[in-house]
Short mmCIF file of all heavy atoms in Angstrom, two decimals:
data_model
loop_
_atom_site.label_atom_id
_atom_site.label_comp_id
_atom_site.label_asym_id
_atom_site.label_seq_id
_atom_site.Cartn_x
_atom_site.Cartn_y
_atom_site.Cartn_z
N ILE Z 1 6.76 -6.08 -1.21
CA ILE Z 1 6.76 -6.38 -2.63
C ILE Z 1 8.07 -7.12 -2.94
O ILE Z 1 9.14 -6.57 -2.76
CB ILE Z 1 6.66 -5.10 -3.51
CG1 ILE Z 1 5.35 -4.41 -3.18
CG2 ILE Z 1 6.75 -5.43 -4.98
CD1 ILE Z 1 5.19 -3.06 -3.82
N PRO Z 2 7.96 -8.39 -3.41
CA PRO Z 2 9.16 -9.13 -3.73
C PRO Z 2 9.96 -8.52 -4.86
O PRO Z 2 9.42 -7.90 -5.78
CB PRO Z 2 8.63 -10.53 -4.16
CG PRO Z 2 7.22 -10.56 -3.65
CD PRO Z 2 6.74 -9.15 -3.61
N ASP Z 3 11.30 -8.66 -4.82
CA ASP Z 3 12.18 -8.11 -5.84
C ASP Z 3 11.85 -8.67 -7.22
O ASP Z 3 11.99 -7.98 -8.24
CB ASP Z 3 13.66 -8.40 -5.51
CG ASP Z 3 14.10 -7.60 -4.28
OD1 ASP Z 3 13.52 -6.54 -4.01
OD2 ASP Z 3 15.07 -8.05 -3.63
N GLU Z 4 11.40 -9.94 -7.24
CA GLU Z 4 11.05 -10.60 -8.53
C GLU Z 4 9.89 -9.84 -9.18
O GLU Z 4 9.87 -9.67 -10.41
CB GLU Z 4 10.65 -12.05 -8.33
CG GLU Z 4 11.77 -12.92 -7.78
CD GLU Z 4 11.87 -12.91 -6.26
OE1 GLU Z 4 10.82 -12.69 -5.57
OE2 GLU Z 4 12.97 -13.01 -5.73
N ASP Z 5 8.94 -9.40 -8.38
CA ASP Z 5 7.76 -8.68 -8.94
C ASP Z 5 8.20 -7.34 -9.48
O ASP Z 5 7.76 -6.90 -10.54
CB ASP Z 5 6.70 -8.48 -7.86
CG ASP Z 5 5.96 -9.75 -7.50
OD1 ASP Z 5 6.29 -10.82 -8.07
OD2 ASP Z 5 5.12 -9.70 -6.57
N ILE Z 6 9.09 -6.63 -8.77
CA ILE Z 6 9.57 -5.34 -9.21
C ILE Z 6 10.31 -5.50 -10.53
O ILE Z 6 10.09 -4.75 -11.49
CB ILE Z 6 10.49 -4.68 -8.15
CG1 ILE Z 6 9.67 -4.36 -6.88
CG2 ILE Z 6 11.17 -3.46 -8.73
CD1 ILE Z 6 10.54 -3.95 -5.68
N GLU Z 7 11.17 -6.53 -10.59
CA GLU Z 7 11.95 -6.77 -11.83
C GLU Z 7 11.04 -7.10 -13.00
O GLU Z 7 11.24 -6.63 -14.07
CB GLU Z 7 12.93 -7.92 -11.55
CG GLU Z 7 13.90 -8.18 -12.67
CD GLU Z 7 14.87 -9.29 -12.32
OE1 GLU Z 7 15.26 -9.42 -11.15
OE2 GLU Z 7 15.26 -10.02 -13.28
N MET Z 8 10.03 -7.95 -12.76
CA MET Z 8 9.12 -8.35 -13.84
C MET Z 8 8.35 -7.14 -14.36
O MET Z 8 8.22 -6.94 -15.56
CB MET Z 8 8.16 -9.40 -13.35
CG MET Z 8 7.28 -9.93 -14.50
SD MET Z 8 6.35 -11.37 -14.10
CE MET Z 8 5.02 -10.69 -13.17
N VAL Z 9 7.83 -6.30 -13.46
CA VAL Z 9 7.08 -5.11 -13.89
C VAL Z 9 7.96 -4.14 -14.61
O VAL Z 9 7.62 -3.57 -15.68
CB VAL Z 9 6.38 -4.44 -12.69
CG1 VAL Z 9 5.79 -3.07 -13.08
CG2 VAL Z 9 5.28 -5.33 -12.11
N ALA Z 10 9.20 -3.95 -14.11
CA ALA Z 10 10.18 -3.04 -14.76
C ALA Z 10 10.53 -3.53 -16.17
O ALA Z 10 10.53 -2.71 -17.12
CB ALA Z 10 11.45 -2.92 -13.89
N ASN Z 11 10.76 -4.84 -16.34
CA ASN Z 11 11.11 -5.39 -17.65
C ASN Z 11 9.92 -5.33 -18.59
O ASN Z 11 10.11 -4.99 -19.77
CB ASN Z 11 11.63 -6.82 -17.51
CG ASN Z 11 12.98 -6.87 -16.83
OD1 ASN Z 11 13.72 -5.87 -16.83
ND2 ASN Z 11 13.30 -8.01 -16.29
N THR Z 12 8.77 -5.67 -18.10
CA THR Z 12 7.56 -5.71 -18.96
C THR Z 12 7.16 -4.31 -19.41
O THR Z 12 6.79 -4.09 -20.56
CB THR Z 12 6.39 -6.40 -18.22
OG1 THR Z 12 6.83 -7.69 -17.78
CG2 THR Z 12 5.19 -6.56 -19.14
N ALA Z 13 7.21 -3.35 -18.51
CA ALA Z 13 6.77 -1.99 -18.82
C ALA Z 13 7.89 -1.14 -19.39
O ALA Z 13 7.62 -0.04 -19.88
CB ALA Z 13 6.20 -1.32 -17.58
N GLY Z 14 9.12 -1.63 -19.30
CA GLY Z 14 10.27 -0.90 -19.85
C GLY Z 14 10.57 0.37 -19.00
O GLY Z 14 10.88 1.43 -19.58
N VAL Z 15 10.49 0.22 -17.70
CA VAL Z 15 10.78 1.34 -16.81
C VAL Z 15 11.82 0.96 -15.77
O VAL Z 15 12.23 -0.19 -15.70
CB VAL Z 15 9.48 1.84 -16.08
CG1 VAL Z 15 8.47 2.35 -17.06
CG2 VAL Z 15 8.91 0.74 -15.20
N SER Z 16 12.27 1.93 -14.96
CA SER Z 16 13.25 1.61 -13.93
C SER Z 16 12.61 0.82 -12.79
O SER Z 16 11.38 0.81 -12.63
CB SER Z 16 13.82 2.90 -13.36
OG SER Z 16 12.84 3.62 -12.64
N ALA Z 17 13.46 0.21 -11.97
CA ALA Z 17 12.98 -0.55 -10.83
C ALA Z 17 12.25 0.34 -9.80
O ALA Z 17 11.25 -0.07 -9.23
CB ALA Z 17 14.16 -1.27 -10.15
N ALA Z 18 12.74 1.55 -9.67
CA ALA Z 18 12.06 2.52 -8.73
C ALA Z 18 10.67 2.86 -9.20
O ALA Z 18 9.76 2.90 -8.38
CB ALA Z 18 12.92 3.76 -8.60
N ASP Z 19 10.52 3.11 -10.53
CA ASP Z 19 9.20 3.38 -11.07
C ASP Z 19 8.27 2.18 -10.94
O ASP Z 19 7.09 2.30 -10.63
CB ASP Z 19 9.29 3.82 -12.53
CG ASP Z 19 9.90 5.23 -12.70
OD1 ASP Z 19 9.96 5.97 -11.71
OD2 ASP Z 19 10.36 5.52 -13.82
N ALA Z 20 8.81 0.99 -11.17
CA ALA Z 20 8.03 -0.24 -11.08
C ALA Z 20 7.57 -0.45 -9.62
O ALA Z 20 6.38 -0.78 -9.38
CB ALA Z 20 8.84 -1.44 -11.53
N GLU Z 21 8.46 -0.22 -8.65
CA GLU Z 21 8.11 -0.40 -7.26
C GLU Z 21 7.04 0.61 -6.86
O GLU Z 21 6.08 0.26 -6.11
CB GLU Z 21 9.32 -0.23 -6.37
CG GLU Z 21 9.04 -0.48 -4.90
CD GLU Z 21 10.26 -0.43 -4.00
OE1 GLU Z 21 11.35 -0.21 -4.50
OE2 GLU Z 21 10.07 -0.65 -2.78
N GLU Z 22 7.17 1.86 -7.30
CA GLU Z 22 6.20 2.89 -6.99
C GLU Z 22 4.81 2.51 -7.55
O GLU Z 22 3.79 2.67 -6.86
CB GLU Z 22 6.62 4.26 -7.59
CG GLU Z 22 5.77 5.37 -7.21
CD GLU Z 22 6.26 6.71 -7.80
OE1 GLU Z 22 7.49 6.91 -7.86
OE2 GLU Z 22 5.39 7.49 -8.22
N ALA Z 23 4.79 2.00 -8.76
CA ALA Z 23 3.51 1.57 -9.38
C ALA Z 23 2.90 0.37 -8.60
O ALA Z 23 1.67 0.33 -8.39
CB ALA Z 23 3.70 1.22 -10.83
N LEU Z 24 3.73 -0.54 -8.19
CA LEU Z 24 3.25 -1.68 -7.44
C LEU Z 24 2.65 -1.27 -6.10
O LEU Z 24 1.64 -1.77 -5.65
CB LEU Z 24 4.38 -2.71 -7.23
CG LEU Z 24 4.66 -3.61 -8.43
CD1 LEU Z 24 5.98 -4.31 -8.30
CD2 LEU Z 24 3.56 -4.62 -8.65
N ARG Z 25 3.32 -0.33 -5.43
CA ARG Z 25 2.80 0.18 -4.14
C ARG Z 25 1.47 0.88 -4.36
O ARG Z 25 0.53 0.76 -3.55
CB ARG Z 25 3.80 1.10 -3.46
CG ARG Z 25 5.00 0.33 -2.95
CD ARG Z 25 5.80 1.14 -1.94
NE ARG Z 25 6.97 0.40 -1.53
CZ ARG Z 25 6.99 -0.64 -0.69
NH1 ARG Z 25 5.86 -1.04 -0.13
NH2 ARG Z 25 8.10 -1.27 -0.37
N ALA Z 26 1.36 1.68 -5.44
CA ALA Z 26 0.13 2.39 -5.72
C ALA Z 26 -1.02 1.49 -6.05
O ALA Z 26 -2.21 1.84 -5.83
CB ALA Z 26 0.36 3.36 -6.89
N THR Z 27 -0.74 0.29 -6.58
CA THR Z 27 -1.77 -0.64 -6.99
C THR Z 27 -1.96 -1.77 -5.98
O THR Z 27 -2.66 -2.78 -6.22
CB THR Z 27 -1.50 -1.26 -8.34
OG1 THR Z 27 -0.24 -1.93 -8.29
CG2 THR Z 27 -1.46 -0.20 -9.42
N GLY Z 28 -1.33 -1.65 -4.79
CA GLY Z 28 -1.47 -2.68 -3.78
C GLY Z 28 -0.78 -3.98 -4.10
O GLY Z 28 -1.20 -5.04 -3.62
N GLY Z 29 0.24 -3.93 -4.97
CA GLY Z 29 0.99 -5.14 -5.33
C GLY Z 29 0.39 -5.89 -6.51
O GLY Z 29 0.92 -6.95 -6.85
N ASP Z 30 -0.60 -5.36 -7.16
CA ASP Z 30 -1.22 -5.96 -8.35
C ASP Z 30 -0.29 -5.80 -9.53
O ASP Z 30 -0.14 -4.66 -10.07
CB ASP Z 30 -2.57 -5.38 -8.60
CG ASP Z 30 -3.36 -6.12 -9.71
OD1 ASP Z 30 -2.79 -6.45 -10.72
OD2 ASP Z 30 -4.55 -6.38 -9.48
N LEU Z 31 0.27 -6.88 -10.05
CA LEU Z 31 1.27 -6.84 -11.14
C LEU Z 31 0.64 -6.30 -12.44
O LEU Z 31 1.16 -5.41 -13.03
CB LEU Z 31 1.84 -8.22 -11.36
CG LEU Z 31 2.63 -8.85 -10.23
CD1 LEU Z 31 2.99 -10.29 -10.57
CD2 LEU Z 31 3.88 -8.06 -9.97
N ALA Z 32 -0.50 -6.87 -12.82
CA ALA Z 32 -1.10 -6.49 -14.07
C ALA Z 32 -1.53 -5.02 -14.06
O ALA Z 32 -1.29 -4.29 -15.02
CB ALA Z 32 -2.33 -7.39 -14.39
N GLU Z 33 -2.13 -4.59 -12.96
CA GLU Z 33 -2.59 -3.21 -12.84
C GLU Z 33 -1.40 -2.26 -12.87
O GLU Z 33 -1.46 -1.16 -13.44
CB GLU Z 33 -3.39 -3.04 -11.58
CG GLU Z 33 -4.11 -1.72 -11.53
CD GLU Z 33 -5.00 -1.59 -10.27
OE1 GLU Z 33 -5.41 -2.61 -9.70
OE2 GLU Z 33 -5.28 -0.44 -9.89
N ALA Z 34 -0.28 -2.63 -12.23
CA ALA Z 34 0.89 -1.79 -12.25
C ALA Z 34 1.46 -1.63 -13.61
O ALA Z 34 1.84 -0.53 -14.05
CB ALA Z 34 1.95 -2.37 -11.30
N ILE Z 35 1.51 -2.71 -14.37
CA ILE Z 35 2.03 -2.68 -15.78
C ILE Z 35 1.15 -1.80 -16.61
O ILE Z 35 1.60 -0.95 -17.39
CB ILE Z 35 2.14 -4.12 -16.34
CG1 ILE Z 35 3.24 -4.86 -15.59
CG2 ILE Z 35 2.43 -4.04 -17.83
CD1 ILE Z 35 3.24 -6.35 -15.89
N LEU Z 36 -0.22 -1.97 -16.49
CA LEU Z 36 -1.14 -1.12 -17.22
C LEU Z 36 -0.99 0.34 -16.89
O LEU Z 36 -1.00 1.22 -17.78
CB LEU Z 36 -2.56 -1.58 -17.01
CG LEU Z 36 -3.00 -2.91 -17.61
CD1 LEU Z 36 -4.37 -3.37 -17.13
CD2 LEU Z 36 -2.93 -2.81 -19.15
N LYS Z 37 -0.82 0.64 -15.61
CA LYS Z 37 -0.65 2.03 -15.18
C LYS Z 37 0.64 2.64 -15.79
O LYS Z 37 0.58 3.80 -16.22
CB LYS Z 37 -0.57 2.03 -13.65
CG LYS Z 37 -0.40 3.42 -13.08
CD LYS Z 37 -0.42 3.36 -11.56
CE LYS Z 37 -0.18 4.81 -11.06
NZ LYS Z 37 -0.57 4.98 -9.71
N LEU Z 38 1.69 1.87 -15.82
CA LEU Z 38 2.93 2.37 -16.38
C LEU Z 38 2.90 2.54 -17.89
O LEU Z 38 3.58 3.40 -18.44
CB LEU Z 38 4.12 1.47 -15.97
CG LEU Z 38 4.47 1.53 -14.46
CD1 LEU Z 38 5.37 0.36 -14.12
CD2 LEU Z 38 5.11 2.85 -14.13
N ASN Z 39 2.11 1.71 -18.56
CA ASN Z 39 2.03 1.81 -20.02
C ASN Z 39 0.99 2.77 -20.54
O ASN Z 39 0.93 3.01 -21.73
CB ASN Z 39 1.76 0.37 -20.62
CG ASN Z 39 2.97 -0.49 -20.56
OD1 ASN Z 39 4.11 -0.04 -20.55
ND2 ASN Z 39 2.72 -1.78 -20.49
#
C-alpha cells in the first residue's frame, strides 16, 4: 500500500495513518471501500 494512499484515506476519513492502513489492508487496497468502512 503506497504511503500516498494511506495519507489520502487518513485525511479523508479523519483517522490516524495506522487506522487508514489497517482499513486499506482489510479492503485489499480499495481506497473508496476503506474510507466508507472508516466512516
Side-chain angles (χ1 to χ4, degrees):
I1 300 173
D3 291 336
E4 298 85 31
D5 289 358
I6 295 170
E7 186 178 326
M8 185 169 80
V9 170
N11 291 337
T12 305
V15 297
S16 69
D19 290 342
E21 184 176 1
E22 186 179 322
L24 281 165
R25 289 197 183 283
T27 60
D30 188 314
L31 298 172
E33 192 177 337
I35 292 168
L36 289 171
K37 180 177 177 161
L38 290 166
N39 286 333

